[in-house]
Amino acid sequence: MSRTGSCLCGAVTFEADALPSLQACHCRTCRKWSGGPFMAVPCKSADFKGEIKRFSVSKRADRGFCPTCGTHLFFYSKPGDMYGVPAGLFDEDPESVLRAEYFIDEKPENYCFAEDTKKLTGAEFRAKFG
Ligand SMILES: [Zn+2]
Ligand SMILES: [Zn+2]
């Protein structure tokens, strides 16, 4: 489903082909990047307009942000050719509930979600998504 959104300052806008899902990643990289669990809507494609800064944290993935306001724009999985776009960036909140939690073995003890989710460890995530 085509959905639109923007960064905090509005310099970057996007249109994404979003799946009806909401996922959270608890891995250390995502938590360092997001300041907490990374809540993302998986998107088959995402077309960003405006200047973005893109960097690689591993061979498997890129992450992007707005160089003006610093809003995190996407996680891009190279093997999956999929974007994870932060749920808060969309013009309308995604209606889907939290369905999956990744890297559950890296989740700290100080929070947990109430939704009944499919939970994958880091090893299970890598085996499934590469
Ligand atoms: Zn911005
Ligand atoms: Zn992660």
Side-chain angles (χ1 to χ4, degrees), residues 7-12 66-71:
C7 66
L8 180 61
C9 77
V12 178
C66 170
T68 303
C69 68
T71 298

Side-chain angles (χ1 to χ4, degrees), residues 62-97:
D62 287 346
R63 291 173 193 258
F65 63 93
C66 170
T68 303
C69 68
T71 298
H72 301 145
L73 298 167
F74 63 85
F75 167 90
Y76 174 68
S77 162
K78 291 175 187 174
D81 189 27
M82 286 281 292
Y83 286 85
V85 177
L89 270 52
F90 290 85
D91 293 329
E92 290 173 30
D93 288 331
E95 65 273 353
S96 53
V97 297

Side-chain angles (χ1 to χ4, degrees), residues 24-31 38 63 75 102-103 106 125:
C25 186
H26 303 288
C27 84
R28 288 197 165 277
T29 309
C30 282
R31 287 191 290 117
F38 178 44
R63 291 173 193 258
F75 167 90
Y102 301 140
F103 288 79
E106 292 187 26
F125 178 85

Side-chain angles (χ1 to χ4, degrees), residues 15-129:
E15 189 169 341
D17 186 1
L19 298 179
S21 181
L22 180 61
Q23 306 170 342
C25 186
H26 303 288
C27 84
R28 288 197 165 277
T29 309
C30 282
R31 287 191 290 117
K32 178 72 90 171
W33 189 52
S34 304
F38 178 44
M39 306 287 293
V41 175
C43 297
K44 285 189 267 186
S45 65
D47 181 27
F48 292 92
K49 290 193 169 55
E51 189 193 348
I52 64 170
K53 204 68 164 180
R54 192 175 182 121
F55 70 104
S56 297
V57 282
S58 76
K59 283 186 203 134
R60 292 196 300 264
D62 287 346
R63 291 173 193 258
F65 63 93
C66 170
T68 303
C69 68
T71 298
H72 301 145
L73 298 167
F74 63 85
F75 167 90
Y76 174 68
S77 162
K78 291 175 187 174
D81 189 27
M82 286 281 292
Y83 286 85
V85 177
L89 270 52
F90 290 85
D91 293 329
E92 290 173 30
D93 288 331
E95 65 273 353
S96 53
V97 297
L98 184 63
R99 295 212 171 145
E101 294 180 68
Y102 301 140
F103 288 79
I104 197 71
D105 50 329
E106 292 187 26
K107 184 184 82 59
E109 293 295 318
N110 56 6
Y111 67 81
C112 62
F113 294 120
E115 285 80 12
D116 183 21
T117 58
K118 191 162 82 176
K119 297 175 178 66
L120 298 184
T121 64
E124 289 166 341
F125 178 85
R126 290 198 179 95
K128 188 169 181 188
F129 297 107

